[in-house]
Amino acid sequence: MKNKKNIWHLIWIVGVYTILVAILLLIIEYKVKWENRDLNTYLYFYSCGGSMCTTTETQNDFYGRVKCSNKNCPYIKEKYQNIVVLTDNNREFLYDYNANKIIDELYQEYTIKNDYVIVKDINNKYGVIDLNGNVIIEPTYNKIVDYKNGFLAYAENGKVGVISEDNSINISPTYEDLRIVDNIKYTYLEDGKYYIASYDTELPVNSFVYDYVYAIDDVILTIKDKKIDIITTDLESKLLLKIDTQYTYEVEKERASLRIYKEGNLLHFSVVNSSGTTDYIFDLKNKKLFY
């Protein structure tokens, strides 16, 4: 009889310990799954069809991610290679989605220009940094419109001029708009038309006038009479047939309208025509067009 009581006592003790262990396991599971659970919302940068896409859906394989504030995720203002300008709650920052890190968040605005970034500080002064966040030109200008190869296009009183770092070129702000092509030529806007000119003479280098000009690396995208051409800095066309477009391009909005961005050696842009919107890719290295 005594042995039977001991057995039931042992069963009771084992049962109690089993219940305690089960409770402990439930507590551990709760802590692992819920207390330590990341409840934040993220914007993920991931590969889709060989390109970069974004989503707020959780991804197992992604380039990088940024945390969203109150589920309000930042959006991409500009993209250049693996660098993006993100806008979030009235602030902007420079982010490298390959390295999964914020490069710079010290300024109010960022505008990518080729391999450099034009920035605006809290005093509404403009400067230039590189893609690693290093300062090239301190924010001292009232407006910077372009920077390339040591040449700076800046604005004063609504007019644009250009100056070189060694001060060998110093063209006073007299143009409606100005973009740098290379260390020999620049483009300027006058009476609604763009011209390609020489620093030495400050005169056009050819007889053509354009509705829009966009220079990157050693090529120039031009629009004239609703036809797009891509020429070299030596003014040689690289397209067998010019691209028709129905879009009416406006000053300061052309780049956004064309959705131009560079990814490695590839220049991406979109064109609106009778067939709808067509995405093009121009190989800057081999000077070939794809779509």
Side-chain angles (χ1 to χ4, degrees):
M1 188 72 177
K2 186 176 180 180
N3 289 336
K4 190 174 181 180
K5 287 184 178 179
N6 289 337
I7 292 172
W8 281 109
H9 184 68
L10 178 62
I11 293 173
W12 181 84
I13 293 174
V14 171
V16 170
Y17 273 102
T18 301
I19 293 171
L20 291 175
V21 169
I23 292 173
L24 180 61
L25 291 174
L26 288 173
I27 292 173
I28 293 173
E29 183 181 16
Y30 171 82
K31 285 183 174 293
V32 171
K33 286 189 175 181
W34 298 103
E35 282 194 1
N36 296 324
R37 184 181 180 186
D38 190 347
L39 299 177
N40 292 303
T41 300
Y42 293 92
L43 179 68
Y44 291 86
F45 296 78
Y46 69 100
S47 176
C48 59
S51 186
M52 185 276 291
C53 293
T54 59
T55 182
T56 55
E57 299 294 328
T58 302
Q59 299 289 310
N60 293 323
D61 186 17
F62 56 90
Y63 296 120
R65 68 179 187 178
V66 291
K67 186 161 61 175
C68 305
S69 303
N70 298 321
K71 295 188 178 181
N72 293 321
C73 296
Y75 65 88
I76 298 174
K77 173 189 167 185
E78 289 189 57
K79 177 180 181 297
Y80 178 81
Q81 298 180 7
N82 56 300
I83 307 297
V84 290
V85 177
L86 294 178
T87 299
D88 178 22
N89 292 331
N90 297 320
R91 77 181 183 103
E92 294 184 1
F93 55 99
L94 205 61
Y95 176 74
D96 183 338
Y97 62 79
N98 269 349
N100 192 20
K101 69 175 183 179
I102 294 176
I103 298 173
D104 195 282
E105 53 184 340
L106 300 176
Y107 302 97
Q108 302 299 302
E109 290 183 9
Y110 297 82
T111 303
I112 300 175
K113 294 289 184 182
N114 299 317
D115 294 323
Y116 299 93
V117 185
I118 296 174
V119 296
K120 183 175 79 171
D121 68 7
I122 58 174
N123 299 313
N124 293 324
K125 294 292 185 180
Y126 290 80
V128 178
I129 65 174
D130 64 19
L131 294 177
N132 294 313
N134 301 309
V135 176
I136 305 299
I137 297 175
E138 294 286 349
T140 55
Y141 287 86
N142 292 328
K143 181 71 175 179
I144 294 176
V145 298
D146 200 9
Y147 179 81
K148 186 178 182 182
N149 298 336
F151 287 79
L152 178 75
Y154 66 99
E156 287 184 0
N157 301 318
K159 298 292 184 179
V160 186
V162 61
I163 187 171
S164 61
E165 287 182 337
D166 61 7
N167 210 35
S168 61
I169 301 297
N170 192 344
I171 300 174
S172 300
T174 57
Y175 298 107
E176 296 173 36
D177 189 24
L178 188 150
R179 292 294 186 270
I180 297 160
V181 174
D182 53 22
N183 58 355
I184 298 174
K185 292 182 286 294
Y186 63 97
T187 72
Y188 68 87
L189 176 66
E190 186 173 77
D191 296 329
K193 296 295 182 181
Y194 281 88
Y195 300 81
I196 300 176
S198 164
Y199 293 117
D200 292 337
T201 63
E202 299 183 32
L203 295 173
V205 295
N206 60 15
S207 58
F208 293 107
V209 294
Y210 304 95
D211 298 315
Y212 176 65
V213 171
Y214 177 80
I216 185 167
D217 291 358
D218 59 347
V219 300
I220 309 167
L221 184 148
T222 68
I223 300 175
K224 178 178 173 59
D225 299 329
K226 292 190 176 180
K227 289 187 179 294
I228 295 176
D229 194 9
I230 297 178
I231 62 177
T232 65
T233 52
D234 294 327
L235 310 183
E236 177 188 357
S237 175
K238 303 309 302 184
L239 300 185
L240 294 176
L241 294 174
K242 295 181 176 60
I243 303 170
D244 291 324
T245 177
Q246 292 182 344
Y247 203 98
T248 300
Y249 297 89
E250 302 174 27
V251 177
E252 296 297 334
K253 295 182 180 179
E254 302 91 341
R255 186 176 182 184
S257 303
L258 290 163
R259 294 191 296 180
I260 296 177
Y261 67 91
K262 180 184 175 185
E263 193 169 38
N265 290 318
L266 303 178
L267 178 66
H268 298 253
F269 62 96
S270 300
V271 175
V272 178
N273 50 39
S274 59
S275 302
T277 300
T278 304
D279 296 325
Y280 290 89
I281 299 175
F282 185 78
D283 186 334
L284 294 165
K285 182 178 180 181
N286 298 303
K287 305 295 185 292
K288 291 183 179 180
L289 183 71
F290 304 94
Y291 63 92

